[in-house]
Amino acid sequence: MNKLTATMGGMLLPLVLGGCQDTGQSSDKVIGKPEIQVIDGKVTAEVLEAFGRISSPLPSPDGSKIIFLLAYESIEENKSNSEIYSMDADGSNMKRLTETSSSESNIRWIDNGNKIAYLRKDDKTGKVQLHIMNADGSGVKCLSDVQNGIESFEISPDETKIIFSSTIAAYNKDEDLFKGLDKTSGRVVNDLMYKHWDEWVDNIPHPFIADFSEKGISESVDIMAGEPYECPMRPFGGADAFAWSPDSKSLVYVSRKLKGQDYAFSTNSDLYLYDIEGKNTKNLTEGNMGYDTNPQFSPDGKTLAWLSMQTPKYESDKKRLMLMDMSTGTKTDLTENWDYWPENFQWAKNGSKIWFNGYFQGVSPVFSIDVKTCKIDTVAMDVCDFADVVPVADNAVIALRHSMRYPNEICLISDSGVKQLTEINSELLSQLKLGEVKKVMVPTSDGKEMLTWVVLPPDFDPAKKYPAILYCQGGPQSAVSQFWSYRWNMMIMASNGYIVILPNRRGLPGFGTEWNRQISGDYGGQNMKDYLSAADYMAKESYVDEKKMAAVGASYGGFSVYWLAGHHEGRFAAFIAHAGIFNLEAQYLETEEMFFADFDLGGPFWDKENAIAQRTYANSPHKYVNNWSAPILVTVGELDYRILASQGMMAFNAAKMHGLEAEMLVFPNENHWVLQPQNAVLWQRVFFKFLDKYLK
């Protein structure tokens, strides 16, 4: 066992690397598929928690096998657990490979498909470590004993090296200041970005390269030693931040090499090429001031592909699919003449094209693009979303597929069409009565047409009148495609007897760059008119009870709810806002990623000469509380550092002081989302109890 040391600004970080004892078994309760009783075909909160959640499908090197993660949640245990499964490439011979109380993640094939590497918490150390096992699930072995655990990894193609991320201290504490105060909880803050998403920035991830073998990992080196920057980037970065060259002599990693206020106001991440032998680093994307992410080498190693945003501070900019000739440094934008963009991509096995999925007219199809001609072909498109596209042959890929009517399943996409390979949730779905999803084109106030999804209740009777829900999307630039959500789930809303209206208002991807960008600097503008257009259009339908319509949403959707509450002129009978922005001036100063607020709001509220910013703040929902007239439910998480819980608490207090009927649901241990099973169930119960009270 080797005891090594990494440095960070003079601070010593001990790492202990080597094998750890692991049998693959755990004494804790293993969460598996729960038993659920479906009554009258109704989708309930408990039913949602019973679905199996598929992710990370990965074909073996020869394409004969597919491994994937399958997670189930336990309401009783109040947590979830993911396990590794395998099946033949045609979907047959499915087998569960692991059975532990700790979730497996970051699965990778090694040894030419004979073994699988993955991450799981080690029972002895309590930290997430690297494990391997045989392809049939036998021979489980823990290969690492990293002091702070491993968050993500990629093994080199020749399987002699590994790049992994582990946390180090984010800053040096003033030891004299804290001398003798080992029980103090105080933090001294002298710059921005002191907290992020749902945590105080006490630690940051760093990339370590180590020797790899089936005996363990050793000789770990922090390739960003002394640099006070993140890699991968918080809060969502993982193994996609690393790309090995096919010859294993170099790798590319992603980092935003900024800190404090500079970090908070920038989206300037770059791709860095690290030479293994020379131990030197080169910035490949210097000069581009937006996000550069998701590097991937072509199969021959001659070309690097990645996703790039051009506009500084604009986190929802068009994602350009870029190529770089590694010998000349020449860069090419493959999607320059296409007004849409990839969400993720993979090289074809022969390197002639790139497969990707991306939002297009309210759905997420699978596309391919020829790397020489830039010709784009639509490979698979239906009333569904495809995601996580991975090639299995030159003319075939596997992908996840979901819609508003069903969660993820794995499918094969080839010249023969689309074939579903898994049926994880078919039995449960067969017991449910699901609402019909239809597409409606709604005229907007400026003479355009807006694709709007409408979900009808099960056993829909057009002769009856139904209460309706206007769904307001967050982001603000997150797609209203055929998404499946376990919180904002359209089938549970329909199952409770509601018509659900989902407008693809201004500011959403899938309808071109102009439509997507229009919302920035125009909060309270055209996108709100789009919502009102959809509400008015659907209110004219004979089956919609126009006097029993609610507006609901989270994040920017919560902002939308608060804004509509002050401008709806009697259209809505109730409102529900989760994690929403209520006071834009406070939001500008409270949020952690300042680049977002600075770009989208137009600038600081004190800049009186900035017409865009002043228009934004003039439309802040808190200035129109005097117009509020309908009951409102507010839900917040106190670990939400993106939109602080105080925003919702202000809104609730304002409603109560204004004399309105109002309720608030507070989760002290949730962030911007509601993730824990019991909290998720409570959220759904409160949601429908409130809606039923005022709309039924």
Side-chain angles (χ1 to χ4, degrees):
M1 184 176 295
N2 298 312
K3 189 171 183 179
L4 305 174
T5 300
T7 62
M8 172 61 178
M11 176 174 287
L12 296 180
L13 173 72
L15 294 174
V16 180
L17 302 178
C20 53
Q21 298 300 315
D22 197 313
T23 64
Q25 304 298 321
S26 172
S27 59
D28 294 335
K29 183 175 181 180
V30 178
I31 295 173
K33 184 177 181 179
E35 295 183 4
I36 182 71
Q37 183 179 7
V38 177
I39 301 175
D40 297 329
K42 186 174 182 178
V43 180
T44 64
E46 291 78 8
V47 167
L48 288 180
E49 293 300 307
F51 279 108
R53 308 182 184 202
I54 300 177
S55 64
S56 307
L58 188 66
S60 59
D62 65 2
S64 65
K65 294 278 189 179
I66 298 171
I67 54 174
F68 60 94
L69 296 174
L70 175 58
Y72 284 102
E73 302 215 332
S74 168
I75 297 174
E76 179 184 4
E77 298 293 322
N78 198 33
K79 62 181 182 179
S80 64
N81 182 45
S82 65
E83 303 286 355
I84 304 174
Y85 283 71
S86 73
M87 62 183 177
D88 292 344
D90 61 1
S92 63
N93 298 320
M94 187 177 298
K95 179 183 178 183
R96 180 175 179 170
L97 301 183
T98 59
E99 189 170 355
T100 68
S101 60
S102 300
S103 289
E104 282 75 19
S105 63
N106 203 150
I107 52 177
R108 296 291 186 269
W109 291 100
I110 60 172
D111 189 23
N112 200 33
N114 293 311
K115 288 183 169 60
I116 300 167
Y118 60 97
L119 295 180
R120 180 174 67 79
K121 185 183 293 184
D122 171 43
D123 295 334
K124 185 177 68 172
T125 66
K127 300 292 185 179
V128 173
Q129 304 291 351
L130 178 70
H131 292 69
I132 63 168
M133 64 182 175
N134 296 323
D136 63 1
S138 65
V140 174
K141 183 180 180 181
C142 180
L143 297 188
S144 69
D145 194 4
V146 178
Q147 179 180 326
N148 292 336
I150 296 177
E151 294 189 347
S152 60
F153 75 91
E154 288 291 354
I155 296 172
S156 63
D158 66 6
E159 298 185 5
T160 65
K161 299 284 185 180
I162 183 173
I163 178 83
F164 67 88
S165 62
S166 186
T167 58
I168 64 172
Y171 58 88
N172 290 325
K173 185 181 289 187
D174 186 334
E175 298 299 334
D176 290 336
L177 191 65
F178 285 82
K179 186 176 181 180
L181 306 178
D182 60 316
K183 295 181 174 61
T184 183
S185 60
R187 288 181 170 92
V188 177
V189 176
N190 54 28
D191 206 346
L192 297 184
M193 217 62 212
Y194 48 88
K195 56 183 180 178
H196 198 182
W197 189 248
D198 59 3
E199 64 180 1
W200 287 82
V201 184
D202 296 325
N203 300 289
I204 58 173
H206 255 212
F208 293 80
I209 285 183
D211 292 337
F212 171 84
S213 74
E214 293 184 19
K215 295 180 180 179
I217 63 176
S218 60
E219 303 302 324
S220 170
V221 176
D222 181 353
I223 63 173
M224 285 175 53
E227 298 186 49
Y229 315 121
E230 295 175 349
C231 177
M233 296 185 295
R234 295 289 197 226
F236 304 121
D240 58 352
F242 306 127
W244 282 98
S245 62
D247 62 8
S248 301
K249 294 181 179 180
S250 62
L251 64 87
V252 173
Y253 67 87
V254 181
S255 181
R256 182 166 28 169
K257 294 197 174 182
L258 300 165
K259 64 176 183 175
Q261 184 167 330
D262 293 335
Y263 184 107
F265 275 92
S266 176
T267 56
N268 184 21
S269 66
D270 283 304
L271 307 185
Y272 294 88
L273 179 67
Y274 181 81
D275 180 70
I276 303 300
E277 183 177 352
K279 296 181 173 55
N280 52 67
T281 303
K282 178 183 178 181
N283 188 340
L284 298 178
T285 55
E286 188 171 8
N288 182 59
M289 303 308 290
Y291 277 127
D292 290 293
T293 59
N294 300 86
Q296 292 183 37
F297 280 97
S298 60
D300 61 10
K302 296 180 179 180
T303 307
L304 182 73
W306 75 98
L307 297 179
S308 177
M309 296 185 186
Q310 193 169 21
T311 309
K313 300 184 182 181
Y314 184 27
E315 70 170 10
S316 299
D317 199 8
K318 176 183 178 181
K319 297 174 184 175
R320 302 174 298 165
L321 180 54
M322 303 293 294
L323 295 185
M324 177 185 291
D325 185 313
M326 296 305 291
S327 62
T328 66
T330 302
K331 300 182 180 76
T332 304
D333 179 0
L334 284 184
T335 51
E336 181 178 8
N337 298 316
W338 198 52
D339 202 27
Y340 304 87
W341 50 91
E343 292 301 318
N344 58 67
F345 70 92
Q346 291 279 341
W347 283 91
K349 285 184 172 293
N350 61 12
S352 65
K353 60 186 175 182
I354 292 175
W355 305 86
F356 65 92
N357 63 278
Y359 297 115
F360 180 83
Q361 300 296 315
V363 294
S364 177
V366 175
F367 302 95
S368 68
I369 184 168
D370 188 290
V371 297
K372 291 184 178 180
T373 67
C374 298
K375 181 178 182 293
I376 295 175
D377 291 321
T378 303
V379 179
M381 181 175 176
D382 203 345
V383 184
C384 65
D385 285 355
F386 292 99
D388 290 2
V389 178
V390 186
V392 291
D394 290 338
N395 62 344
V397 296
I398 59 169
L400 295 176
R401 179 175 62 177
H402 58 256
S403 80
M404 292 182 185
R405 290 172 53 87
Y406 52 85
N408 276 334
E409 297 285 357
I410 301 173
C411 62
L412 174 68
I413 303 169
S414 65
D415 295 339
S416 302
V418 179
K419 176 187 177 183
Q420 186 164 314
L421 300 181
T422 59
E423 300 283 349
I424 298 298
N425 293 299
S426 295
E427 180 185 0
L428 180 53
L429 287 168
S430 68
Q431 302 176 59
L432 302 173
K433 294 181 178 180
L434 302 175
E436 177 189 353
V437 179
K438 66 176 186 176
K439 181 172 72 173
V440 176
M441 300 305 296
V442 173
T444 63
S445 62
D446 58 345
K448 302 182 185 300
E449 283 196 323
M450 175 174 59
L451 191 156
T452 300
W453 297 111
V454 176
V455 184
L456 304 176
D459 300 322
F460 172 71
D461 183 351
K464 294 181 179 179
K465 280 190 176 293
Y466 295 87
I469 296 172
L470 177 73
Y471 172 76
C472 302
Q473 179 66 302
Q477 285 141 318
S478 297
V480 176
S481 57
Q482 280 296 305
F483 66 89
W484 173 274
S485 169
Y486 285 96
R487 182 156 47 92
W488 296 99
N489 185 276
M490 302 310 143
M491 289 302 107
I492 194 173
M493 295 183 197
S495 191
N496 277 273
Y498 292 97
I499 303 282
V500 191
I501 307 161
L502 300 99
N504 273 279
R505 50 123 176 109
R506 232 57 59 98
L508 297 187
F511 303 91
T513 52
E514 180 183 350
W515 188 278
N516 184 70
R517 183 160 181 167
Q518 192 282 328
I519 193 174
S520 297
D522 192 37
Y523 282 26
Q526 183 59 49
N527 67 101
M528 292 300 156
K529 295 177 183 178
D530 290 346
Y531 278 137
L532 295 176
S533 294
D536 291 344
Y537 186 89
M538 291 304 299
K540 295 176 183 177
E541 295 286 354
S542 61
Y543 52 81
V544 172
D545 190 335
E546 62 177 357
K547 295 182 179 180
K548 294 181 179 180
M549 185 179 293
V552 307
S555 196
Y556 182 82
F559 165 90
S560 303
V561 167
Y562 294 142
W563 191 93
L564 290 170
H567 297 82
H568 69 111
E569 298 178 339
R571 287 178 173 88
F572 300 106
F575 295 96
I576 299 179
H578 174 74
I581 305 170
F582 173 68
N583 183 325
L584 285 174
E585 293 185 2
Q587 174 67 11
Y588 184 82
L589 297 177
E590 287 179 342
T591 195
E592 12 81 292
E593 292 183 345
M594 298 293 183
F595 60 78
F596 169 76
D598 200 54
F599 186 88
D600 251 41
L601 303 184
F605 58 83
W606 55 80
D607 186 354
K608 301 301 181 183
E609 303 303 315
N610 185 332
I612 294 176
Q614 292 308 308
R615 180 181 63 184
T616 295
Y617 296 110
N619 272 290
S620 181
H622 81 281
K623 295 186 175 182
Y624 296 91
V625 173
N626 59 303
N627 294 337
W628 285 19
S629 59
I632 188 166
L633 168 65
V634 174
T635 67
V636 296
E638 291 191 293
L639 294 181
D640 186 355
Y641 301 151
R642 184 62 44 92
I643 299 175
L644 297 191
S646 57
Q647 289 278 336
M649 292 175 180
M650 284 189 287
F652 171 76
N653 293 353
K656 295 300 289 186
M657 287 186 277
H658 195 55
L660 295 176
E661 294 185 66
E663 296 180 21
M664 182 166 62
L665 176 60
V666 180
F667 294 110
N669 57 349
E670 295 285 3
N671 58 28
H672 201 55
W673 300 328
V674 180
L675 300 175
Q676 298 180 45
Q678 291 195 12
N679 288 344
V681 171
L682 178 62
W683 190 90
Q684 295 285 4
R685 290 177 181 176
V686 172
F687 183 93
F688 288 109
K689 181 180 179 182
F690 182 85
L691 282 184
D692 291 351
K693 180 178 180 180
Y694 296 106
L695 269 65
K696 291 185 179 179

